[in-house]
């Protein structure tokens, strides 16, 4: 019995270690791509962050009625004014996690749990747009009945609906808004505009309700491009035998390598492979 428990403990530690390496390798690929896309990342001040993202916040406000001041304040709070690891490498400014319907890439970091799965966006604008989609759900639906310049009740409502566990969350958002005068970007709407906007938004919210749980319940691993268990099941000799339909890219993803790393391991000068060829897949 003691031997069995010891074996199980060792197996759990080994599996956890393998998973951690998979997550780390995944993140390094995301970071490498982000650095290549934006090699001269500029650290934001809160004022420069507001200047950079006020336009998209206003755009989202005019579409859905979420005060631009609320969106900017949440972005400032969640992303450290655009300087957090998630914002820098994943373009994720609101800490939105992976869900079962997420088809994009993922970035893993400790949050509520170890190695929580966060969405990776093509750019920050996508993050802002997804923030609006995240709020267009049943639990936040009552907020869309508010005026789009009623930032105080939006802040209170977000806390009431459980957006954050911080008991001072509403006060914090209001404090950021008033410190930086973010409410200058909010705008009133006429009664007819408000009715038309509510009709449109509530139609979308109601359409979401049947799939609310699937769309918004976080998952541990992103469906499209998660770390796989392939590394833990790599052949004992470290070599993979090429099968029909394989490509270098497919094999590199399977073992969480880049194509360049895979080619370097096998001293390849081109991307040509053939069925039955043995490729080294372990560094």
């Amino acid at each position: 019995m003691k031997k069995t428990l010891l074996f199980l403990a060792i197996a759990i530690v080994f599996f956890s270690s393998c998973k951690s390496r998979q997550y780390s390798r995944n993140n390094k690929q995301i970071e490498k791509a982000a650095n290549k896309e934006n090699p001269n990342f500029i650290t934001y001040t809160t004022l420069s962050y507001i200047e950079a993202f006020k336009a998209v916040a206003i755009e989202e406000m005019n579409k859905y009625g979420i005060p631009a001041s609320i969106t900017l304040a949440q972005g400032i709070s969640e992303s450290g004014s655009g300087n957090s690891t998630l914002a820098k490498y994943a373009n994720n400014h609101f800490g939105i996690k992976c869900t079962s319907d997420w088809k994009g890439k993922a970035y893993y970091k400790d949050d509520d749990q170890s190695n929580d799965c966060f969405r990776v966006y093509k750019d920050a604008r996508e993050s802002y747009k997804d923030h609006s989609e995240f709020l267009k759900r049943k639990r936040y639906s009552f907020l869309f009945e508010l005026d789009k310049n009623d930032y105080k009740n939006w802040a209170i409502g977000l806390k009431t609906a459980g957006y954050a566990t911080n008991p001072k969350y509403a006060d914090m958002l209001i404090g950021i808004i008033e410190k930086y005068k973010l409410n200058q970007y909010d705008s009133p709407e006429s009664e007819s505009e408000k009715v038309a906007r509510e009709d449109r938004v509530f139609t979308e919210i109601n359409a979401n309700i049947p799939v609310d749980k699937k769309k918004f319940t976080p998952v541990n691993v992103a469906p499209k491009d998660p770390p796989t268990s392939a590394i833990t099941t790599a052949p004992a000799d470290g070599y993979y035998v090429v099968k029909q339909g394989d490509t270098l890219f497919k094999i590199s993803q399977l073992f969480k390598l880049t194509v360049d790393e895979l080619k370097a391991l096998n001293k390849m000068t081109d991307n040509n492979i053939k069925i039955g060829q043995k490729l080294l897949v372990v560094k």
Side-chain angles (χ1 to χ4, degrees):
M1 182 68 177
K2 288 183 179 179
K3 287 184 177 180
T4 301
L5 290 175
L6 179 61
F7 175 78
L8 285 173
I10 292 171
I12 290 169
V13 170
F14 176 76
F15 181 70
S16 176
S17 175
C18 288
K19 279 182 67 178
S20 293
R21 288 198 297 271
Q22 292 168 29
Y23 291 130
S24 176
R25 183 169 291 179
N26 175 86
N27 285 359
K28 284 178 181 176
Q29 290 183 10
I30 297 297
E31 291 164 9
K32 183 178 179 181
N35 287 329
K36 184 176 180 181
E37 181 72 22
N38 185 16
N40 300 309
F41 180 83
I42 299 172
T43 301
Y44 289 102
T45 65
T46 301
L47 291 177
S48 66
Y49 181 84
I50 293 165
E51 189 63 29
F53 298 107
K54 66 184 182 183
V56 65
I58 292 169
E59 183 182 322
E60 293 301 294
M61 173 183 68
N62 290 333
K63 280 185 183 178
Y64 303 115
I66 305 164
S69 60
I70 285 289
T71 301
L72 285 169
Q74 288 190 289
I76 290 167
S77 171
E78 295 285 348
S79 75
S81 296
N83 299 308
S84 70
T85 300
L86 270 180
K88 181 177 180 180
Y89 296 121
N91 287 312
N92 190 330
H93 287 237
F94 298 93
I96 295 179
K97 294 181 179 178
C98 305
T99 52
S100 59
D101 71 326
W102 175 246
K103 304 305 180 186
K105 293 182 180 295
Y107 192 89
Y108 297 85
K109 67 185 295 290
D110 294 348
D111 190 55
D112 295 325
Q113 302 178 50
S114 176
N115 289 314
D116 270 342
C117 179
F118 290 88
R119 299 182 177 194
V120 175
Y121 299 101
K122 180 178 68 177
D123 54 41
R125 283 181 61 85
E126 276 195 356
S127 178
Y128 269 73
K129 292 177 182 297
D130 202 33
H131 171 260
S132 299
E133 293 298 322
F134 180 81
L135 291 178
K136 283 163 46 189
R137 51 200 283 205
K138 186 177 180 181
R139 70 185 294 183
Y140 301 115
S141 59
F142 67 96
L143 292 168
F144 292 91
E145 297 179 15
L146 297 170
D147 291 341
K148 66 179 185 178
N149 61 349
D150 188 358
Y151 68 87
K152 288 186 178 179
N153 280 319
W154 259 89
I156 294 167
L158 283 169
K159 176 64 186 76
T160 302
Y163 186 95
T165 56
N166 181 353
K168 300 290 187 181
Y169 189 71
D171 293 336
M172 181 187 69
L173 289 183
I174 292 169
I176 292 171
I177 289 168
E178 294 182 346
K179 178 178 180 179
Y180 294 102
K181 299 180 172 57
L182 300 180
N183 55 310
Q184 67 181 295
Y185 305 117
D186 297 340
S187 59
E189 57 192 340
S190 68
E191 188 61 32
S192 60
E193 288 172 334
K194 186 172 187 290
V195 170
R197 189 256 305 161
E198 285 178 352
D199 285 346
R200 178 167 46 80
V201 173
F202 277 100
T203 297
E204 295 179 23
I205 289 173
N206 289 333
N208 275 336
I209 288 175
V211 291
D212 237 23
K213 186 173 182 180
K214 177 181 178 181
K215 288 187 70 174
F216 301 114
T217 301
V219 294
N220 292 332
V221 179
K224 179 183 177 184
D225 190 32
T228 69
S229 59
I231 294 174
T232 62
T233 58
D237 62 358
Y239 285 87
Y240 174 82
V241 179
V242 177
K243 302 181 181 67
Q244 185 172 357
D246 280 340
T247 64
L248 277 185
F249 178 76
K250 181 178 178 181
I251 297 168
S252 70
Q253 292 294 291
L254 184 63
F255 293 97
K256 284 299 166 185
L257 298 165
T258 66
V259 171
D260 288 342
E261 287 172 336
L262 186 58
K263 288 170 68 175
L265 282 172
N266 292 277
K267 298 180 173 59
M268 297 173 63
T269 57
D270 56 41
N271 292 349
N272 297 324
I273 55 176
K274 57 185 179 181
I275 296 173
Q277 181 178 351
K278 293 180 72 174
L279 295 176
L280 181 62
V281 294
V282 177
K283 289 182 178 181

